[in-house]
Amino acid sequence: MDRIGQMQHTIERLTRPGRGILAADESYPTITKRLSDFGIESTEETRRFYRSLLATTPGIGEYVGGIIFFEETLGQRTDEGQLIPAACEAQDIVPGIKVDKGAVELAGSDGEKVTQGLDNLGDRLDGYVEQGALFTKWRNLYQITPELPSRQALEANAEVLARYAAIAQSRGMVPIVEPEVLMDGDHDLARCAAVTEAAQATLFEALRRHRVLLEAIILKPNMVLPGKGQPRPAVETCAEETLRVLRRTVPAAVPSINFLSGGQTSEEATAHLNAMNQAEGPKPWVMSFSFSRALQNPVQAAWAGVAQNKEAAQQAFLHRARLNSLAREGRYSATMETDQA
């Protein structure tokens, strides 16, 4: 299979009906914080056990089409001795890999960030392919204030994301491009919409400039929401604003938009995804999920670092994934939250 054929096949697998993507790609500091919230110590063994627990959840492939991992996980094995990427493939789940190296200060800016990791990216991708990864993820961050993000930050981050995507596609890997406008702050819904539109418009200009094949990318954007310091509007209002921005900025050639949860609760993220899929009007893309905390928090709470809780944790994962699968189809209801059947 040639490079383009490989990417098309990966896209087809990731976008099959009812399925989304799990982001289990937390770096060492992030996973340490997330686990500590539930009284779990982050060690190589606890991380291995936990991410193996996710990949081997019976039946999870019905709802999860891909899992994004941290590089450590690609070389780890399940309790049965199978490499974790191979365990994913056994459930028709596509293994993916986070490839950015985190955000650093953008020189010359007013404290804004740009994501690093382009150095030797091609060589790293070659190694990840050998370990079974078929798609990649790169995240950029945009802070909202009355003045920010600046044009400098918008263009610098778009350029980095586009260069990353072009390199990933040169290896036959599907790039997830993630321009995350942060929820932190007191901004209102309109301000988030304006910044999100600017970030996405600048990104797609750069993707075209770098000749990235839009049919072989996945966009992972934030939902349009007010800052954490503001009251939350109705889910239908947020859905309408998010769709308005997407229709203005995202070409129909893009096959799938897989939203990040961005600090929302599990229930909030699922409800917002459902509202977008229920909304009227043109939606030329698959609209699904690529949640991290909104999928994993209930799992970590059920597990609590105790091996004997593995089955309960897997049931929590399966339940949460099923609800988001229903939201992808616009068939979720809050009454389903307590239905474990």
Side-chain angles (χ1 to χ4, degrees):
M1 191 181 298
D2 65 12
R3 175 177 60 87
I4 293 178
Q6 176 64 64
M7 291 189 293
Q8 290 173 334
H9 181 58
T10 300
I11 286 286
E12 188 274 329
R13 293 178 65 192
L14 290 171
T15 58
R16 285 176 187 162
R19 305 213 296 178
I21 296 170
L22 167 67
D25 58 347
E26 300 89 352
S27 63
Y28 294 124
T30 302
I31 191 66
T32 297
K33 181 180 184 304
R34 299 272 174 85
L35 293 180
S36 68
D37 288 343
F38 297 95
I40 306 166
E41 183 182 3
S42 177
T43 66
E44 183 178 355
E45 173 54 22
T46 56
R47 294 190 298 270
R48 181 210 65 80
F49 183 92
Y50 174 63
R51 286 166 171 162
S52 169
L53 174 159
L54 296 171
T56 60
T57 295
I60 197 62
E62 183 176 352
Y63 310 122
V64 172
I67 302 180
I68 313 166
F69 289 118
F70 189 59
E71 58 186 350
E72 172 188 53
T73 313
L74 294 184
Q76 292 180 326
R77 295 181 181 271
T78 67
D79 293 343
E80 293 72 33
Q82 187 177 33
L83 285 166
I84 290 178
C88 290
E89 289 285 2
Q91 300 212 70
D92 193 26
I93 297 171
V94 186
I97 179 70
K98 170 188 173 178
V99 298
D100 71 73
K101 294 295 185 180
V104 296
E105 185 168 341
L106 177 62
S109 74
D110 187 17
E112 294 179 277
K113 304 289 186 180
V114 67
T115 306
Q116 61 184 345
L118 289 175
D119 291 349
N120 301 316
L121 177 58
D123 293 338
R124 288 195 288 127
L125 293 181
D126 291 339
Y128 298 145
V129 169
E130 290 181 3
Q131 292 180 287
L134 294 174
F135 71 102
T136 60
K137 192 205 81 169
W138 184 291
R139 174 183 181 233
N140 282 359
L141 303 175
Y142 302 84
Q143 178 186 2
I144 299 185
T145 72
E147 297 81 25
L148 302 179
S150 66
R151 174 51 52 181
Q152 176 196 10
L154 289 169
E155 293 182 354
N157 278 290
E159 183 73 8
V160 167
L161 263 177
R163 289 179 62 193
Y164 139 75
I167 295 169
Q169 289 190 344
S170 75
R171 266 57 179 187
M173 303 179 82
V174 169
I176 294 180
V177 292
E178 182 178 357
E180 179 178 2
V181 176
L182 297 171
M183 286 176 59
D184 302 332
D186 293 324
H187 54 274
D188 61 14
L189 191 68
R191 179 63 179 153
C192 181
V195 171
T196 301
E197 182 174 342
Q200 292 179 6
T202 308
L203 169 61
F204 279 99
E205 289 174 6
L207 290 170
R208 291 189 181 94
R209 189 164 60 248
H210 285 269
R211 301 181 181 178
V212 172
L213 183 66
L214 296 184
E215 292 85 350
I217 71 167
I218 289 176
L219 177 67
K220 181 174 177 175
N222 56 282
M223 302 175 189
V224 174
L225 303 169
K228 292 179 180 178
Q230 291 285 332
R232 190 61 53 85
V235 292
E236 293 80 9
T237 302
C238 296
E240 290 169 3
E241 283 300 296
T242 303
L243 286 168
R244 183 176 63 82
V245 169
L246 295 174
R247 289 170 181 146
R248 289 181 172 184
T249 59
V250 183
V254 174
S256 188
I257 297 173
N258 290 61
F259 293 94
L260 58 90
S261 50
Q264 300 176 74
T265 67
S266 299
E267 295 79 8
E268 285 174 338
T270 306
H272 281 119
L273 177 62
N274 187 68
M276 283 184 281
N277 279 300
Q278 285 186 338
E280 296 181 356
K283 291 171 283 190
W285 334 270
V286 169
M287 292 198 304
S288 190
F289 57 91
S290 180
F291 297 160
S292 176
R293 276 174 287 179
L295 271 171
Q296 294 187 69
N297 278 0
V299 186
Q300 292 168 1
W303 172 44
V306 179
Q308 289 80 359
N309 293 341
K310 177 179 178 180
E311 184 177 347
Q314 290 181 327
Q315 285 300 312
F317 182 31
L318 194 69
H319 178 64
R320 195 78 242 155
R322 173 180 171 271
L323 294 182
N324 283 295
S325 173
L326 290 168
R328 178 191 150 160
E329 308 299 328
R331 297 191 294 117
Y332 163 82
S333 168
T335 60
M336 298 172 178
E337 289 290 341
T338 56
D339 179 14
Q340 292 284 349

